[in-house]
Amino acid sequence: MERNKHISNSFRRPLLNASPIRYTSRILYLKFDKVIIMSMNVQNCPRCGKLFVKGFAETCPACVKDIEAQYVACADYLRQNRKCDLQELHEETEVPMRQIIRFIREGRISIADSPNLTYPCEVCGNPIREHTMCDSCRQRLVRDVNQMMDEGKNSANAEKDAHHFRITDRLKDRH
C-alpha cells in the first residue's frame, strides 16, 4: 500500500532533481529514462503579465485581490453617495472607468439605486443605463442587418433566375 502511494505522488509533483525539457502548457520531466507529463494550465496574466496557473479566474491571484479591493472601494463609495456619477466615482475611488463599467456590466454594481450613474454607449458614447448600446444605435444596427439580409436574398433570387428557365418567359417570347 505504501509503495502505490509513493508512485502516485511522484507523478503528481515535479521532481526536484529533474530538469524541464520544454516549456508550454505542459511541463515534461525526465526520470530514469521515463517521461512524466505534468498537466498544468499556465498562462500570463492579462493585467500584470505574471505567469500563473489558470483556474477559475482569468487573472493572477494578486490581480484578483486588487480587483476585489477596487470593487469594495466602489461599492462603499456608492453606499455613501448614491447620487454620484461615473466621473465622480472614478475620481474619488481612483478606480479606472473601464473597471467600473466592467463591474456594472457584470452586475456587481447595481445602478438601480444610483439615478445619476450612467456609462457610455460602445458605439456613439451617449450615456446609457443598460445594455451595451443606446436605442438609436441598436435600431440602426437592426436596420442595417435587415437591409443586408434583403440584399442577400435579392442577389440570391437574381442569381437563381439567371440559371433557371421559366415557362412564362418562353410564353412571353411567343406573343
Side-chain angles (χ1 to χ4, degrees):
M1 187 66 120
E2 188 65 34
R3 182 176 178 192
N4 291 341
K5 184 177 179 183
H6 174 69
I7 291 172
S8 64
N9 284 338
S10 67
F11 285 103
R12 288 188 191 148
R13 62 185 130 153
L15 302 171
L16 297 177
N17 58 356
S19 60
I21 298 172
R22 193 175 110 189
Y23 182 76
T24 58
S25 63
R26 294 177 184 227
I27 301 175
L28 303 176
Y29 292 94
L30 287 177
K31 178 184 178 185
F32 309 115
D33 299 329
K34 293 181 183 178
V35 176
I36 301 172
I37 299 175
M38 300 297 295
S39 179
M40 296 175 62
N41 197 1
V42 180
Q43 177 179 330
N44 286 353
C45 178
R47 288 188 74 202
C48 67
K50 292 180 181 177
L51 194 65
F52 74 103
V53 176
K54 185 177 176 185
F56 66 94
E58 294 293 322
T59 58
C60 69
C63 289
V64 168
K65 287 180 184 177
D66 184 43
I67 291 170
E68 288 302 314
Q70 290 175 347
Y71 167 72
V72 169
C74 289
D76 288 344
Y77 188 79
L78 280 173
R79 280 188 203 104
Q80 296 169 358
N81 305 303
R82 294 200 184 276
K83 295 191 178 191
C84 73
D85 60 349
L86 185 66
Q87 184 67 32
E88 181 183 343
L89 181 62
H90 161 68
E91 289 171 358
E92 293 297 322
T93 59
E94 298 179 358
V95 176
M97 280 192 183
R98 178 180 270 166
Q99 186 64 45
I100 296 171
I101 293 169
R102 190 174 298 134
F103 289 148
I104 293 170
R105 287 197 178 131
E106 290 174 352
R108 296 181 72 184
I109 291 179
S110 173
I111 60 173
D113 297 333
S114 303
N116 296 333
L117 193 60
T118 59
Y119 53 94
C121 169
E122 287 186 357
V123 179
C124 65
N126 288 337
I128 56 175
R129 292 186 53 84
E130 60 184 2
H131 306 298
T132 57
M133 290 188 287
C134 62
D135 290 334
S136 62
C137 291
R138 191 176 310 115
Q139 289 171 356
R140 186 175 50 216
L141 178 66
V142 168
R143 186 182 63 237
D144 291 346
V145 167
N146 288 337
Q147 182 180 358
M148 288 178 64
M149 289 177 64
D150 290 341
E151 289 173 2
K153 287 178 184 177
N154 292 339
S155 66
N157 288 339
E159 189 176 304
K160 184 178 178 182
D161 290 343
H163 295 293
H164 293 287
F165 176 76
R166 292 188 178 179
I167 193 69
T168 56
D169 295 336
R170 185 173 178 192
L171 293 174
K172 284 180 187 176
D173 292 339
R174 282 188 178 176
H175 299 290

